[in-house]
Amino acid sequence: MRSHYCGEISERQLDSEVTLCGWVHRRRDHGGVIFIDLRDRAGLVQVVFNPEDEAAFATADRARGEYVLRVTGRVRHRPEGTVNPDLHSGAVEVVGTAVEVLNTAQTPPFQLEEHEHAGEDVRLRYRYLDLRRPEMQQRLQLRARVTSSIRRQLEEEGFLDIETPMLTRATPEGARDYLVPSRTHPGRFFALPQSPQLFKQLLMMAGFDRYYQIVRCFRDEDLRADRQPEFTQLDMEAAFVDEEAVMGVTERMLRRLFREVLGTELAEPFPRISHAEALDRFGSDKPDLRIPLELVEVADLVAGVDFKVFSGPANDPRGRVAALRVPGGGALTRKQIDDYTELVGRYGAKGLAYIKVNDPGQGLEGLQSPIVKFLTEEAVTGILERTGAEVGDLIFFGADKAGVVNAALGTLRVHLGHDLDMVEPGWRPLWVVDFPMFEYDEQDGRLYSLHHPFTAPRAADPAALRDEDPEALLSRAYDVVLNGVELGGGSVRIHDTAMQQAVFGLLGIDEEQAQAKFGFLLEALQYGCPPHGGIAFGLDRLVMLMAGADSIREVMAFPKTQTATCLLTEAPAEVGEAQLQELGIRLRRVSGAQ
RNA sequence: GGAGCGGUAGUUCAGUUGGUCAGAACGCCGGCCUGUCACGCCGGAGGUCGCGGGUUCGAGCCCCGUCCGCUCCGCCA
């Protein structure tokens, strides 16, 4: 039907006759000559129609935006002075001698323009039109190149692509499950997988050694710019490996990916940082290393002052007092500081103390601050020294429970980095390692896995595990972070029944529950389970970063809205009584019915 | 569950203190135009101001409720 893609046309096809199929991107009618920019997935090319070709000219005259055309014509150089350097095909044009209207089109509800952006709701409602836009075409093509590169690398390293079930069972821990009622077993439900975690471990036990899958996962939790109810994981697992092997595979894969797709070299090896150090220095377990700001611990300096706001947390084992020095921050206005105060308030901070360093040579006189008067001169001097403050700087403080301080100053650090234009260019991957095994939840009064209950602890045996303070226990888990985005995480797994039972025990999952929910896993562990470990990546986030987009919706063909609906298909929708009856389901109440 | 921002023409938006405030640009339709490329020029059509209620002589504007979109907190092993 066609000989080339529109976007392919260049001087290489000079003087040859080409046949193109595409959409009318734009039509410029000069009365005596008509230009049509014809668009397909590869790009744009300008087609010229002259009145001498009567039939073609008449058809071009009729054509409107988004009409689908098949055009035949000869490729020629553009006349002197009319070359368009913004277009790949801009040195040439196609002289249209035959046109066929393959289909007409209604006027689109929004312009498929780079220049003006339609609201996201309109774009989602007419997603098939939105996806025609060159920007979206490029994003989804980028996504395809990403998965292609990943597959090639992993397959070269001997990984097998094996599918796992979409209909599985609900898990007691973790995110809320999407449920699917069983028709053949009324009253019972499948769950859609939150990840193939247990299946990939079973594949290791089954001897497949090296597995990977690019697989859809489902979590029924509230949405964010980087969270959708269905999303795609690059999931990997290998047997007879330790954390070094998994991290090695990962780095090779990412390095090749960025080289092939973006022409960029990533650091070799990726730097590593412990979870504790990440929180100490950056207030985040996914620090953006492009931002040259760090938190500094000052609890010891203010532990003795009368100022309860500081001395309280400084003497609380779960508290933290930290400073964040902002070079040149003295120029921040009162309004800006107020806005930052409001920002950290969202994370539970009760305020945002600061010191403006006007002239440190003058001692306390050279400082401008609402809190200096509550501190000792010794404390202030110590703070200035430790933060390395210079003239014109500003120092922010966080004093509260450690979690609040980290969240507040960690977020503040990122915002300051962007607002003050301090973000360094480039790609800064890193590994976060030495995660705690558990996290204590004060509300529920119990431990939760920081990763998941199958993560191996750094403990020799179950007895050693029970001897330790659970909150001090480290796991054999690792996260890979890129420019402040958590790209993926994984761990070496437990491959021993007794150890798995011991971890369940610490999580408050008793023998009976463990058997009921994970009996098949505990059983499988007893039939010769090899040591194994793996990692899973958020593919959408990876592509989002590489595409320079600020939401994963921009790199998904048909994403959901924040309330988890599809504006195009209007899913979820009600179903008929007959369908419900077949499933043995009666609705408690029909809310939101029309 | 909570906080914030937004909803006015097909689209993106403006609309002051409640009183010619139903507006602009783009798009669309018609006409003109032989080198444009976000073509240009002339003319035209196009509105349930998200929805419901209230205050008022009078509401796009104020109040209450509600729906939708986005950002964030909680949540996301």
Side-chain angles (χ1 to χ4, degrees), chain A residues 170-182:
Chain A
T171 48
E173 305 261 311
R176 207 174 284 119
D177 289 305
Y178 272 98
L179 296 179
V180 180
S182 163

Side-chain angles (χ1 to χ4, degrees), chain A residues 23-25 39 64-68 103-106 108 112 132:
Chain A
W23 286 264
V24 175
H25 189 65
R39 185 195 67 236
R64 292 294 180 270
E66 299 309 308
Y67 273 31
V68 188
N103 212 340
T104 60
Q106 289 189 17
L112 310 190
R132 281 186 197 165

Side-chain angles (χ1 to χ4, degrees), chain A residues 343-411:
Chain A
L343 173 74
V344 299
R346 294 211 285 268
Y347 299 85
K350 291 182 271 298
L352 183 59
Y354 64 91
I355 297 177
K356 275 188 183 177
V357 185
N358 295 334
D359 181 0
Q362 285 189 35
L364 296 187
E365 297 301 303
L367 304 174
Q368 183 185 337
S369 164
I371 56 154
V372 161
K373 58 176 176 280
F374 301 121
L375 305 178
T376 61
E377 183 155 4
E378 191 187 1
V380 174
T381 312
I383 289 166
L384 292 179
E385 219 164 84
R386 193 174 294 174
T387 56
E390 294 174 13
V391 177
D393 290 354
L394 183 143
I395 302 168
F396 283 117
F397 294 89
D400 210 307
K401 298 284 183 196
V404 171
V405 171
N406 290 337
L409 292 187
T411 301

Side-chain angles (χ1 to χ4, degrees), chain A residues 318-541:
Chain A
R318 288 187 190 268
R320 181 172 191 195
V321 185
L324 180 66
R325 173 187 155 235
V326 186
L332 289 174
T333 64
R334 183 60 202 254
K335 164 91 171 89
Q336 286 172 303
I337 292 173
D338 285 348
D339 287 346
Y340 289 130
T341 306
E342 199 229 302
L343 173 74
V344 299
R346 294 211 285 268
Y347 299 85
K350 291 182 271 298
L352 183 59
Y354 64 91
I355 297 177
K356 275 188 183 177
V357 185
N358 295 334
D359 181 0
Q362 285 189 35
L364 296 187
E365 297 301 303
L367 304 174
Q368 183 185 337
S369 164
I371 56 154
V372 161
K373 58 176 176 280
F374 301 121
L375 305 178
T376 61
E377 183 155 4
E378 191 187 1
V380 174
T381 312
I383 289 166
L384 292 179
E385 219 164 84
R386 193 174 294 174
T387 56
E390 294 174 13
V391 177
D393 290 354
L394 183 143
I395 302 168
F396 283 117
F397 294 89
D400 210 307
K401 298 284 183 196
V404 171
V405 171
N406 290 337
L409 292 187
T411 301
L412 180 63
R413 171 179 174 270
V414 171
H415 279 256
L416 285 166
H418 284 92
D419 295 349
L420 302 181
D421 216 18
M422 298 170 78
V423 184
E424 294 162 359
W427 300 100
R428 301 289 297 277
L430 87 153
W431 288 106
V432 178
V433 297
D434 296 337
F435 280 85
M437 186 76 183
F438 304 108
E439 199 173 29
Y440 184 73
D441 185 293
E442 304 212 18
Q443 301 241 298
D444 298 359
R446 57 159 282 198
L447 297 171
Y448 281 93
S449 296
L450 210 70
H451 274 80
H452 54 60
F454 319 108
T455 301
R458 281 190 199 279
D461 51 60
L465 187 73
R466 292 194 192 90
D467 287 346
E468 284 271 352
D469 169 14
E471 285 189 72
L473 266 173
L474 296 183
S475 74
R476 298 178 66 183
Y478 31 81
D479 275 3
V480 61
V481 174
L482 180 59
N483 292 2
V485 174
E486 183 192 331
L487 269 191
S491 62
V492 170
R493 324 296 182 187
I494 297 169
H495 66 282
D496 174 82
T497 316
M499 183 64 91
Q500 185 66 70
Q501 279 169 329
V503 169
F504 282 155
L506 286 171
L507 288 171
I509 303 175
D510 63 35
E511 198 90 9
E512 197 179 334
Q513 274 180 299
Q515 279 303 328
K517 308 288 187 186
F518 301 113
F520 64 97
L521 179 79
L522 293 170
E523 185 178 69
L525 287 172
Q526 297 174 51
Y527 283 98
C529 174
H532 63 286
I535 191 166
F537 286 83
L539 183 74
D540 311 283
R541 289 182 185 176

Side-chain angles (χ1 to χ4, degrees), chain A residues 526-574:
Chain A
Q526 297 174 51
Y527 283 98
C529 174
H532 63 286
I535 191 166
F537 286 83
L539 183 74
D540 311 283
R541 289 182 185 176
L542 176 60
V543 178
M544 170 186 83
L545 281 178
M546 296 178 78
D550 49 18
S551 156
I552 61 172
R553 294 188 301 274
E554 296 296 336
V555 296
M556 301 175 77
F558 299 103
K560 306 271 187 293
T561 66
Q562 194 163 45
T563 51
T565 66
C566 173
L567 295 181
L568 178 56
T569 62
E570 297 188 306
E574 292 173 33

